[in-house]
Each structure stands twice: as C-alpha cells, then as structure tokens.
Amino acid sequence: MAVRAVRGAVQLDQDEAGHMDEQVGALLTAIMERNELTADDLISIWFTATPDLHSDFPAAAARKLGIVDVPLICAQELDIEGAMPRVVRVLAHIESERPRADIAHVYLGAAAALRKDIAQ
C-alpha cells in the first residue's frame, strides 16, 4: 500500500459557517468517492482557507462527515493580491493501491480554474 496525496479546492459563495460545512463536505465527499476511499484510507488532511474566510474551521465539516479519528489541521493561505477569494483547499494524505497518475484531484465549481492541469 502506497502513501499518496490528493488535492482539492472549492470556492465559497459567502463566508457563512453552514455554507462552509456544505461546500467543504461536498468537496471531501467527491474526493472520497472519486478515489474510492473510506475513512480508514485517510492518514491526515490539511485544510487552508483564504484570509477572507473566518466563519468556521474547514476541518469541522470533516468531523460532521464522520471523519473523527484522522488528524486534521487548518491554516491560512497567503494573502496574495488578485488571488481567487473565499477558497478552501485540501491536501489529503491517503493509503491507496492506485498509481500516482490515477489519483483524482477534485476542484469544484469556480475553483477548477486554480489547477486546470490536474482538475478532473
């Protein structure tokens, strides 16, 4: 079993805790489904949020999905002029038999513009 990394992102419409839970939950669910993962396959997850998001911790959405015994951490993205606003990014470390080239990175909605090279 190999250790792999999965990337993803979603842009929120607004900085509201319920909306963040919904959108981050959808992102995590898509990552899990597209890579055929269960919670047991997760090693750890890093979440970052742009500086304009402060209504809640993105990791709270993972806990609400039942991801309760996986180490999670949240950090703030760099405040770069012209960067896409209201974005939550995910870097999940997983155990998988999939080759690195077959890992499905998930960029939902407008966030697909962030990584056109790997967004699926």
Side-chain angles (χ1 to χ4, degrees):
M1 186 82 56
V3 174
R4 301 285 183 223
V6 183
R7 291 290 319 267
V10 65
Q11 184 183 39
L12 306 185
D13 295 327
Q14 58 197 3
D15 182 24
E16 193 273 324
H19 181 61
M20 182 179 292
D21 281 346
E22 176 185 300
Q23 294 300 303
V24 174
L27 176 60
L28 291 172
T29 298
I31 288 171
M32 301 281 287
E33 288 175 355
R34 293 181 195 179
N35 289 287
E36 299 176 336
L37 300 171
T38 68
D40 288 338
D41 299 319
L42 300 172
I43 296 169
S44 64
I45 305 175
W46 278 83
F47 296 89
T48 64
T50 51
D52 51 1
L53 293 175
H54 44 75
S55 62
D56 201 359
F57 295 100
R63 298 294 186 219
K64 290 176 183 170
L65 288 177
I67 301 172
V68 295
D69 62 350
V70 175
L72 309 174
I73 192 164
C74 297
Q76 187 176 76
E77 283 286 331
L78 296 173
D79 190 9
I80 304 297
E81 187 174 330
M84 185 179 286
R86 299 178 315 282
V87 175
V88 174
R89 291 173 174 85
V90 171
L91 174 63
H93 299 97
I94 64 169
E95 291 183 327
S96 177
E97 296 291 343
R98 288 178 180 229
R100 185 184 322 234
D102 292 345
I103 296 296
H105 304 282
V106 180
Y107 290 77
L108 299 180
L114 295 171
R115 289 297 306 265
K116 292 177 185 175
D117 58 326
I118 63 173
Q120 297 173 349

